[in-house]
Amino acid sequence: MRKEVLEQVKAFRILKNSIRDSFKSVFRNFSLSIASVLCTTITLILVAIAIVVTVNVNYVTKSMEKELTIVVYANRDVTDEQINNIESSIKKIDVVDSVEFKSKEEWKLEMKQYSETLEVTLDNLDTNPLLDSFVVKVKDVKDLAPTTREIRKIDGVQSADYGEGMVEEIISAFNIIKTATIGMVIALIIVTAFLISNTIKLTIFSRRSEIDIMRLVGSSNISIRLPFVFEGFLLGVVGSFIPMIVTVYGYFILYEKLGSSATFSIVELVKPFPFVFYTSIILLVIGALVGMFGSARAVRKYLKI
């Protein structure tokens, strides 16, 4: 029992000394610390931009996918019974999420509101030239094409369309952008780790005599390694502060500017809160972990401890 207590006290002392030494090292090697912080700051700002773009592209894509529908037009001479049969047949398709019927009379009233010219034209016609229709939503955008083909086979259906060709091109473009931005985030994290690691290597090289003395007097590997790990943690955390501030204020400004712009009014971005909060936490975690990883890697590889 006494031995366990002594080991715990020893471990606590090593941890306390490591934290103390890491703070001292940051200020003692101030120029190198600043360089490391700047590297972390610049790369994390780029990471933040990539995260914002990735999340918003994904959000816009999903929003667009929800709005994509199949418009089904019934034959002109269709009866009420056939209308019910068409609706029932569409609802039986497993991938169909919802079916909304709009009669030709509803279409007529709606189109009259578009302009006075249309209103006068439709009122002067002896018969309603419009068709009864259904607006069909599917559970997954991938089901649009096969569902459209299946609906076209239903008796009483004149046509069924969903914007074939253009929809696939838009979704493909968004998928390419998502893949590219995710790859950018991963690449930037690796670059951040590389930069911090190289900066820490310079710090270790400048303190090689001190480390040799520590090893000669019997300091354990842990007591030598831990200060560098904590130092990397501190540099990573400090380096993430500015990217966090830029993310929070920058995104709020971007959201307000685009929201008030007529050009981008059709594009709805992710709401700032809690998005900026989660993004800031991610940046803080990346900075801390990458700093620790870079330091540990430098110590292990170049000090041969």
Side-chain angles (χ1 to χ4, degrees), residues 204 211 215 224 228 298-305:
I204 293 171
I211 294 170
R215 296 177 68 181
I224 297 174
F228 290 101
V299 173
R300 183 180 65 251
K301 186 174 182 180
Y302 290 92
L303 297 184
K304 308 296 183 182
I305 297 175

Side-chain angles (χ1 to χ4, degrees), residues 119-138:
E119 183 178 3
V120 173
T121 303
L122 290 171
D123 285 338
N124 289 331
L125 292 174
D126 295 331
T127 58
N128 189 343
L130 304 175
L131 300 173
D132 294 317
S133 65
F134 299 90
V135 177
V136 181
K137 289 186 178 182
V138 294

Side-chain angles (χ1 to χ4, degrees), residues 34-74:
I34 290 295
S36 183
V37 168
L38 287 176
C39 289
T40 306
T41 298
I42 293 169
T43 49
L44 284 183
I45 287 175
L46 296 176
V47 169
I49 293 172
I51 290 173
V52 168
V53 172
T54 302
V55 172
N56 277 284
V57 167
N58 188 55
Y59 180 77
V60 171
T61 303
K62 289 187 179 296
S63 298
M64 287 184 62
E65 289 177 355
K66 289 179 181 178
E67 296 301 320
L68 293 175
T69 57
I70 303 169
V71 180
V72 182
Y73 290 102

